[in-house]
Structure formats: C-alpha cells, structure tokens
Amino acid sequence: CFQLYGYCYQDSNDIPDTLTTITELGSPLEMIQLLQTSWEDRFRICLSLVRLLHYLAHSPLGSVTLLDFRPRQFVIVDGELKVTDLDDASIEESSCTSNSDCFMEFPARNFTLPCSVEGRCQSMNEKRNLYNAYRFFFTYLLPHSAPSSLRPLLDKIVNATGNHNKHYLALELSPSPSVNSEFTQKCVKSANTQYRRVPEAFIPDENYRCWPSYHHKGCLLSVFDVNEAIEICDSYSQCKAFVLTNQTTWTGRQLVFFKMASNHIVPDPDKITYVKVTD
C-alpha cells in the first residue's frame, strides 16, 4: 500500500474532525500506456500485485477485500503497483446458511464458495480480490508480448488465477524461480552474421524507433548477453550496430542501444559497440 509519511487532525467550523494525510507520490495507472512498456516492467507490476494480494489476505485486521478493485484505485511508484484508495475496503466476510448464499457473480464468470460451520462464506474476500486481479491486470499484462519460451507457463498462470487457484499464482510468480530464470537466461546464438567489437566506444546518433523500447526516441532493449543482442539486431533490417551499456534492468538484464549506422563513433569508457560486418 501507499507509504504514509504523516497525518494530522484538524477541526474546522464546516467539517469537524478533519483528517489530512501526507503520502508518497505515484503515477496514475494507465492500462494503454502500460501495454506499451516492456514485458519485463509489466511482469514487475504483476509481482507487486501478488505481494499486495497476499498482504490483503493476511493483514493484521484479517482478510481485506477491495470492493472497487479497478486500475483507477492504483498508482505506480518506482515501477511497482500500489493501492491508494481504501475507502471501499472491507474486512466483513459474507454470512451464510448454505453454499447457495456464497454465490459470486462477475461479468464473465461466476463462483460458488462453501459456507463454513461458523456461517461465513469461506475466503470470499480473498477470492474476490484474486479474480479482480485476474480480470483487470493479469489477463492483460502477463501474456501480452511475453517471451515465447514463457508463454505456455504464463497461460497456465492466467488460467489458474481466473479459476481462483491462488496457490499456483503464488508458486510461479511471487518467488518467480521459473519465470525470472527463464526470462533472464534467454540466450539465442546467431549462426551467420559477424560483428566487429569496438571497446570503449559509443554511437551517439543513428537512432531508430522500435517497440517496446526503454527510450522513446531510440531503440533501447534489455538482453541477457551479446548473443541475444546479435539476434535482435539481425531481426531488424535497419539495425547495423548495437551498443552495450553498463546499465541493467531490475532483473539484471543489460540495456543495449540498437543503431541504424556506425558512421560516427565516439570514445566512451562505459560502453562497447558492435558493428555489423558487411561483404
């Protein structure tokens, strides 16, 4: 949730017991804009959402449900998803006398939960959060432009989440042993193209745009190693060179600029340039 930096109570003539809070600043969540970012960044947002779901299910107050679980209730802070509006949060589990009282209706799918001996619908708050996370976030952010090697696994995660299987989601996303490992270690060698290595060098111009890119005026992508950078450069007809930087993403993948020419190379001790060799 949002980081609370401070708060104060203030009485006024018009509104008694006024509460003012000071919280961290976040960026509004725009789904269309998110879909234009790299899959790696969207995966990080899904990870933060998994942690939030776990916290809501095991909070000090008990299981908390967000009755208005929609993108407008969240913001992005340093690449992670945080909830900002808790006005519609509830810790009340629905009472029941039979399973039919625990019917949950959503636009695309319905569920019936068991009624406990205490007369409460079992895990209804948690299930409501999980399915809303699936239909508003996971179904869009996880499969879209994901690495091909991960798509079968991601399809299983999305389908399991849509069926209220929280255990599969937590196993595959929260610790992320298989997803993060496969994505970070993706390595494909190019058999034909040759590149000339130019150490401590950079190409300041000769940019072209690609998608998804970490730079809006150029083609800046993340790679595991030189072999993957070669594969990417070979896949773009306009790519004639690429530059390895000393910057990495949150998973440790290296950021690389892809260039459409190598006419102007300048010294740079923090970068390595690879130029495509032509016959």
Side-chain angles (χ1 to χ4, degrees), residues 72-188:
R72 67 184 184 187
Q73 307 290 356
F74 298 86
V75 295
I76 303 295
V77 180
D78 295 330
E80 302 216 352
L81 191 72
K82 296 197 176 186
V83 62
T84 61
D85 190 351
L86 295 175
D87 290 347
D88 295 311
S90 173
I91 60 173
E92 295 294 328
E93 295 277 17
S94 298
S95 59
C96 59
T97 56
S98 66
N99 291 349
S100 61
D101 295 328
C102 301
F103 180 73
M104 300 176 65
E105 185 175 7
F106 295 97
R109 192 172 299 178
N110 300 326
F111 301 92
T112 300
L113 301 179
C115 180
S116 70
V117 294
E118 293 83 11
R120 296 289 178 180
C121 296
Q122 292 184 16
S123 304
M124 178 169 278
N125 287 346
E126 185 177 7
K127 299 295 189 182
R128 181 183 286 110
N129 289 339
L130 183 63
Y131 188 74
N132 280 327
Y134 155 79
R135 71 188 184 109
F136 286 120
F137 292 96
F138 296 134
T139 190
Y140 298 110
L141 299 183
L142 277 178
H144 181 61
S145 71
S148 57
S149 61
L150 294 179
R151 284 172 188 165
L153 175 61
L154 295 173
D155 287 341
K156 290 181 181 179
I157 292 174
V158 172
N159 290 335
T161 310
N163 288 309
H164 278 169
N165 192 334
K166 64 173 182 176
H167 302 293
Y168 192 95
L169 177 70
L171 174 66
E172 297 297 347
L173 273 183
S174 193
S176 62
S178 54
V179 173
N180 209 14
S181 175
E182 285 190 51
F183 181 62
T184 303
Q185 297 181 15
K186 180 186 175 189
C187 174
V188 182

Side-chain angles (χ1 to χ4, degrees), residues 9-29:
Y9 287 99
Q10 177 182 350
D11 289 333
S12 66
N13 293 329
D14 299 327
I15 306 176
D17 300 327
T18 301
L19 174 64
T20 302
T21 60
I22 300 93
T23 62
E24 62 185 326
L25 183 65
S27 302
L29 193 153

